[in-house]
């Protein structure tokens, strides 16, 4: 007989916009799940794209992130969700501390607002390089885009630990109309070693950027929000002599309006970024895995 495992988790919407939307994220506190297969199953059972597993007995707390496909090296909106849940459980008004994920320790700040919790974290150094393949390459075809749909000068690879392609399209209409071939895109991202493709349009009036993140190679065809990629975009814009501060809107195509804030700064080590977002709608669930 298969073993049935019962687990409490907190579901929270990370990176909400105007109190709505956000990415539904599962957070498991004091993680005692024994196997990574069980961790992968939580996201499938909870019907969230990502799950954060927090070991609060460690100092600083250790957080691991999983999708149905496996473990991620890091997760921006998952960090916002995890830190918001920790403050929510503690009942305090503010927390300054750190989070350990993989071999990195991040500085985090969580602050209680009227109906949500605001979280900021230090993303660290962002590595930037040009996309090596021509604009007419297979990955562009997998995204369903023609060369004239993109701004080739803004085709970059950015990595806060895991590389992803930053691809600017010419306008929001092009962004909204995208219908990628997910099987083909997953194969191309695996071939190139990319987490996924962060496609975006800049506002002509210096307003928020609009973005869509496609990451079928990790089991997420379209991500409601990808906070780490918003930080990568801020680093790219600073690197190309533009603003180092940006707000990024995502999730509209999925009916889950989301917002991420990011700032980028030049340092001796390279461009470092800081990412912020709001988390709301905390709900305790009991899952039976087996």
């Amino acid at each position: 007989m298969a073993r049935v495992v019962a687990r409490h988790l907190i579901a929270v919407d990370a990176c909400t916009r105007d109190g709505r939307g956000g990415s539904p994220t599962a957070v498991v506190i004091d993680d005692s799940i024994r196997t990574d297969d069980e961790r992968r199953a939580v996201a499938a059972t909870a019907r969230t794209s990502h799950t954060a597993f927090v070991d609060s007995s460690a100092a600083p707390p250790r957080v691991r992130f999983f999708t149905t496909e496996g473990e991620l090296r890091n997760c921006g909106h998952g960090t916002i969700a995890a830190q918001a849940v920790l403050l929510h459980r503690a009942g305090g008004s503010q927390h300054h501390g750190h989070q350990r994920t993989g071999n990195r320790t991040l500085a985090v700040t969580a602050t209680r607002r009227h109906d949500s919790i605001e979280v900021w974290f230090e993303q660290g150094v962002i590595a930037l390089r040009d996309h090596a393949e021509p604009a007419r390459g297979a990955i562009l075809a997998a995204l369903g885009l023609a060369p004239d749909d993109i701004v080739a000068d803004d085709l970059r690879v950015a990595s806060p630990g895991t590389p992803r392609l930053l691809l600017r399209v010419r306008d929001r209409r092009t962004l909204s109309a995208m219908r990628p071939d997910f099987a083909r895109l997953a194969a191309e991202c695996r071939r190139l070693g990319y987490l996924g493709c962060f496609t975006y349009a800049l506002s002509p009036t210096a307003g928020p950027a609009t973005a869509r993140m496609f990451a079928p190679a990790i089991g997420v065809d379209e991500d409601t929000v990808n906070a780490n990629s918003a930080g990568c975009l801020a680093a790219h814009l600073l690197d190309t002599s533009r603003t180092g501060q940006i707000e990024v809107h995502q999730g509209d195509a999925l009916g889950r309006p989301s917002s991420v804030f990011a700032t980028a700064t030049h340092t001796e080590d390279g461009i470092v970024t800081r990412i912020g977002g709001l988390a709301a709608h905390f709900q305790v669930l009991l899952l039976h895995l087996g």
Side-chain angles (χ1 to χ4, degrees), residues 15 74 76-77 80 120-128 157-162 164 166 198 200 209 211 213 225-239 243-248 250 259-265 271-276:
C15 303
N74 53 54
H77 75 269
I80 290 171
W120 284 84
F121 67 92
E122 306 290 343
Q123 191 180 23
V125 175
I126 305 299
L128 295 166
V157 177
S159 177
T162 305
R164 77 278 326 271
L166 307 182
F198 188 73
Y200 66 95
M213 176 64 171
V225 64
N226 194 283
N228 278 331
S229 293
C232 291
L233 177 57
H236 162 64
L237 294 176
L238 183 64
D239 187 56
T243 180
Q245 298 185 4
I246 193 167
E247 179 181 356
V248 180
Q250 270 188 263
S259 184
V260 179
F261 302 88
T263 64
T265 307
I271 296 177
V272 300
T273 57
R274 189 167 181 259
I275 297 173

Side-chain angles (χ1 to χ4, degrees), residues 134-160:
R136 299 177 186 273
I139 203 162
L140 198 64
L143 287 166
L145 295 172
D148 289 344
D149 292 329
I150 71 169
V151 181
D153 290 344
D154 279 325
L155 198 62
R156 302 292 298 278
V157 177
S159 177

